[in-house]
Amino acid sequence: MHPFVSYVAILLCFNLYFPSAICATFTNLTDHAALLAFKAHITKDPMNVTTSWNESLHFCLWKGVSCSSISPSIANLSFLRLLDLSNNSFRGVVPPEIGRLSRLQRVVLANNSLTGPIPVNLSSCFNLRILHLSRNNFTGHIPAEFGSMSNLVEVYLDRNYFEGPIPDSFGNISSLKVLSIQGNEMRRRIPESIGQLKSLNILNVADNSLSGLIPSSIYNLSYLTTLFMRYNQLEGSLPWDIGLTLPNIQVFRISANHLSGVIPVSLSNASNPEFLELSVNKFSGGVPAVLGNLKKLSWLGVFGNNLGKGQANELSFITSLVNFSQLIELNLDGNNFGGQNPSSLANLSTHLQVFGISGNKISGGIPSDIGNLIGLNSLSMHYNQLTGTIPEGIGKLYKLQEVGFGKNKLSSEIPSSIGNLTLLNQIWLEQNNLQGSIPSSLGNCKNLFLLRLYNNELNGTIPPELVSLPSLSKSLDLDQNRLTGPLPMEVGNLKTLVKLNVSVGATTESSRLSKYLVEQASKLAEQTNNFELKKEENKLGKFERILMNKTDFIHT
C-alpha cells in the first residue's frame, strides 16, 4: 500500500476505534476538517490520491479513505455508559458484542447506514435508558426481548425498514415515556398492552401499515402529550370522552387512516392541544364550534373528510376561532361544506399562514377584508361557487406565496394590487369570468413560476412585463381568453419554461395572429423544445393555421 494511503487509514482508525472510556462521540465535521487540513500540507501527490478530496463528495467516498463499520472491539470498553455514533456514515451491522456493555445507559446510532437486524443481545444492556437507532437501514422484526429492558425511558426506531408487529412485550416497560417507530413497515394491530405504559408521553407509530382499531386502553394514558398515527390503515371512531381521558394531549395527528364518526365535542376539554390533524379520514357531522375553547391551538387540519352536507352556514364555526392568536394553519379543503364565507374569516389571527377551503360548495364572495390576514403565505379557495370580485385588499398580503381562486364564478378585473405580492410563486385564477386586461404589475412578482389564467374573458395584449419574468418555469397558461396583439418578443427569454399555452379561443379574430407571432413562437420552440406547433383549420376561414400549444399541466 502507498505510504500516504496507510497514513490516512491509521488516522481514521485512531479516530474510530479509540474513544473515551466513558463517552464515545464521533462527528463527520471533525474527520472532514482533519482530512482537509492534512491534504493542505501535502506538497506531492503523484498518484492523485487527494483529487477526489473536495466538498462535492462525502469524505467516506474519497480515494484512500475507508469509513469502516463499528468494530466488535468496542465491547472492550467495559465502563462505557454513553455511546454516541450518530451523524456519521457507518455501514454494516451492529456487532452483537455490544450486548456485553452492561453499564451502557445511552446508545445513539442515528443517521448512519447501518443494516441488518438489531442484535437481540442488546437487551442484555439492562441499564439502558435511551435507545436511538433512527434513520438507518435496519431490517427484520423489533426484538421482543426489548420488553425485558425495564429501565428504558426513550426508544426511537424511526425511518428504518422494520417489519412485522409491534412487540406485545413493550407493554412491560413501565418506565417508558417515548416510543417512536415512525416510517417503517410495521403491520397488524397496535397491541393492547401499549395501554399499560402509564408514564408514556409520546407515542409515534405514523407512516406504517398498521390496521384495525386503536386500542381503547391508549385513550386512558393520561400523561400522553403526543399521539402521532398518520398514514396507517386504522379504523373505528374516536371515543366521545377523549378530551377527558387525554387531558394533557398537545399533538394529536391521526390523518390518512380510515377513521369515521364525529369529531368528539370533548376535545374542547383538553387543556393544551396545539396541533389537531384529522385530515383524510371519513369523519362527518361538522366541526364542533366548542373547539373555539382551545386557545393554544396553532394547527387545525380536517381536509378530505365528509364534514359538510352542502348546506348553508356550515362554516359558521370559523367565528369561534377568531380568538386563536396562535393559529398558523386552518385547512378545510374537500369536505362538501356549503354556505358562504363568514365575514369573521377576515378576523382570524394575523399569524395565520395557511388557509384552505378548496373543493367545497362555498358561495358568495371573498371577504373584502381578506387583506387583514397579513401573515398568509398560502390562500386556497378554488373549486367552489364563489362570485363577485377579487378584493383589491389582497395586495396587502405581502407574505403570500401561492393563491388559488380558480374554478369559481368570479368576475370583474384582476386587481393591479396583486403586483404588490412580490413573493408570489403560484397563481391559479383559471375558469372564472374575469375580464379586463392582464395586470402588467404581475411583472413585479419576480418569484412567479406558475400562472394559470385560462378560460376567462381577459382581453388586451399580453404584458411584456409578464413574459419577461425569468422565474416563469413551470406553467404559463393563458388559453381560451380574448387576448389580442402579438406575442411579446420577451417570451424568447423564458428558456426554462416547461408549459406554455397561449392558444386562441374561437372568439378571437385569427387576423390578430400576425406573422410575427408565429415566427417568434417557432423560434422559441426551436430553442427550448417547450412547444408543439400543431396545424389546425381556421374556424373563421381567414387563415389555414393557428398556433395551438397543447398543455397537460396537472395542478398538484
Side-chain angles (χ1 to χ4, degrees):
M1 180 183 289
H2 191 277
F4 169 71
V5 179
S6 300
Y7 183 86
V8 171
I10 292 171
L11 176 68
L12 287 176
C13 287
F14 182 82
N15 188 36
L16 298 180
Y17 298 129
F18 292 91
S20 162
I22 299 299
C23 175
T25 302
F26 309 104
T27 68
N28 276 337
L29 293 177
T30 302
D31 294 339
H32 179 266
L35 288 168
L36 288 180
F38 183 67
K39 175 185 176 181
H41 289 84
I42 297 174
T43 57
K44 293 183 180 181
D45 183 10
M47 297 181 65
N48 296 318
V49 173
T50 61
T51 302
S52 63
W53 290 31
N54 55 61
E55 300 290 346
S56 65
L57 292 174
H58 191 282
F59 70 81
C60 287
L61 301 177
W62 292 352
K63 185 177 180 180
V65 176
S66 176
C67 293
S68 182
S69 57
I70 301 172
S71 171
S73 62
I74 200 171
N76 296 329
L77 307 176
S78 57
F79 288 92
L80 201 64
R81 289 177 172 80
L82 167 60
L83 176 63
D84 189 343
L85 308 178
S86 60
N87 302 310
N88 281 284
S89 299
F90 288 108
R91 298 178 174 87
V93 299
V94 176
E97 288 82 359
I98 198 172
R100 299 179 194 167
L101 300 174
S102 60
R103 290 182 172 85
L104 270 179
Q105 296 180 10
R106 180 172 179 171
V107 173
V108 183
L109 307 179
N111 294 312
N112 282 288
S113 299
L114 298 167
T115 58
I118 303 175
V120 173
N121 59 356
L122 185 61
S123 60
S124 299
C125 301
F126 53 86
N127 285 307
L128 200 63
R129 295 174 57 82
I130 296 176
L131 178 62
H132 200 331
L133 306 180
S134 297
R135 298 185 183 277
N136 280 285
N137 298 311
F138 289 118
T139 57
H141 288 211
I142 299 172
E145 289 81 358
F146 281 8
S148 64
M149 302 171 74
S150 58
N151 290 309
L152 270 177
V153 177
E154 300 177 13
V155 175
Y156 303 92
L157 306 176
D158 313 286
R159 305 298 179 190
N160 283 286
Y161 296 94
F162 294 121
E163 58 185 6
I166 299 173
D168 187 71
S169 61
F170 271 26
N172 299 328
I173 313 174
S174 59
S175 57
L176 201 61
K177 292 185 177 181
V178 178
L179 177 58
S180 189
I181 318 178
Q182 180 180 359
N184 283 283
E185 299 173 5
M186 310 302 296
R187 299 182 183 277
R188 303 184 192 176
R189 294 172 176 265
I190 300 172
E192 189 77 31
S193 62
I194 297 298
Q196 300 173 17
L197 303 175
K198 301 303 182 182
S199 298
L200 200 63
N201 297 144
I202 298 174
L203 177 59
N204 181 0
V205 296
D207 306 334
N208 282 286
S209 297
L210 297 167
S211 58
L213 301 176
I214 299 174
S216 58
S217 57
I218 287 179
Y219 297 118
N220 292 320
L221 298 176
S222 59
Y223 287 103
L224 206 61
T225 60
T226 298
L227 184 58
F228 195 10
M229 295 183 167
R230 74 173 189 190
Y231 292 111
N232 280 288
Q233 299 163 24
L234 301 170
E235 303 172 351
S237 59
L238 301 178
W240 68 270
D241 59 349
I242 185 173
L244 301 173
T245 58
L246 296 179
N248 296 300
I249 198 72
Q250 296 176 13
V251 177
F252 187 55
R253 303 186 68 179
I254 55 172
S255 58
N257 280 286
H258 304 308
L259 299 167
S260 57
V262 300
I263 299 175
V265 173
S266 69
L267 278 171
S268 63
N269 295 109
S271 57
N272 297 308
E274 299 175 8
F275 201 120
L276 289 184
E277 179 58 78
L278 313 177
S279 301
V280 194
N281 279 289
K282 301 176 183 179
F283 291 115
S284 58
V287 178
V290 293
L291 292 186
N293 296 334
L294 305 177
K295 305 304 182 185
K296 295 182 180 180
L297 199 65
S298 62
W299 186 298
L300 178 58
V302 294
F303 71 88
N305 282 286
N306 303 310
L307 294 170
K309 296 181 179 180
Q311 299 176 357
N313 301 318
E314 288 186 329
L315 293 183
S316 60
F317 66 89
I318 289 179
T319 302
S320 69
L321 308 179
V322 295
N323 292 322
F324 283 24
S325 60
Q326 301 177 48
L327 192 62
I328 294 174
E329 176 157 338
L330 179 58
N331 196 329
L332 311 174
D333 294 341
N335 269 291
N336 197 38
F337 285 127
Q340 300 186 6
N341 281 314
S343 58
S344 58
L345 170 59
N347 296 325
L348 290 173
S349 171
T350 54
H351 296 291
L352 189 67
Q353 298 177 14
V354 177
F355 178 74
I357 55 167
S358 296
N360 286 290
K361 295 181 179 179
I362 307 303
S363 58
I366 301 169
S368 58
D369 294 332
I370 195 73
N372 293 344
L373 303 178
I374 57 175
L376 280 180
N377 58 50
S378 176
L379 176 59
S380 173
M381 294 187 176
H382 45 271
Y383 289 94
N384 278 291
Q385 300 167 12
L386 297 173
T387 56
T389 65
I390 300 174
E392 187 75 26
I394 196 171
K396 298 177 182 178
L397 303 178
Y398 298 111
K399 296 182 180 180
L400 205 60
Q401 298 178 32
E402 55 183 41
V403 59
F405 295 133
K407 300 186 179 180
N408 281 287
K409 300 176 182 179
L410 298 170
S411 57
S412 193
E413 298 183 353
I414 301 172
S416 61
S417 64
I418 199 168
N420 298 340
L421 310 180
T422 57
L423 298 180
L424 270 180
N425 53 53
Q426 300 179 78
I427 302 175
W428 293 277
L429 300 178
E430 74 279 6
Q431 293 187 332
N432 280 287
N433 299 312
L434 297 171
Q435 301 154 10
S437 59
I438 299 174
S440 60
S441 61
L442 282 171
N444 298 328
C445 303
K446 304 299 184 183
N447 297 294
L448 192 66
F449 63 78
L450 180 148
L451 176 62
R452 303 185 77 185
L453 300 178
Y454 70 85
N455 278 36
N456 279 287
E457 300 292 330
L458 298 169
N459 54 44
T461 60
I462 299 173
E465 295 88 349
L466 174 61
V467 293
S468 296
L469 288 173
S471 59
L472 274 173
S473 58
K474 192 169 185 178
S475 178
L476 175 59
D477 198 337
L478 310 178
D479 182 26
Q480 299 299 314
N481 280 286
R482 299 176 180 272
L483 301 174
T484 58
L487 190 68
M489 71 171 58
E490 289 85 356
V491 76
N493 297 323
L494 301 179
K495 298 186 184 300
T496 61
L497 186 62
V498 176
K499 303 289 184 181
L500 172 63
N501 192 346
V502 291
S503 59
V504 182
T507 58
T508 302
E509 294 184 18
S510 294
S511 59
R512 301 287 188 178
L513 281 174
S514 65
K515 181 180 179 180
Y516 172 78
L517 183 152
V518 178
E519 289 176 350
Q520 290 296 319
S522 298
K523 184 185 295 184
L524 181 59
E526 184 178 348
Q527 290 176 345
T528 65
N529 296 319
N530 289 335
F531 291 88
E532 177 187 3
L533 199 60
K534 181 178 180 180
K535 292 184 179 180
E536 182 176 20
E537 287 191 5
N538 189 321
K539 297 179 182 179
L540 299 181
K542 293 185 178 180
F543 283 87
E544 293 183 351
R545 301 179 183 179
I546 67 171
L547 182 66
M548 182 67 71
N549 299 300
K550 292 292 185 183
T551 63
D552 297 312
F553 177 76
I554 299 175
H555 170 44
T556 56

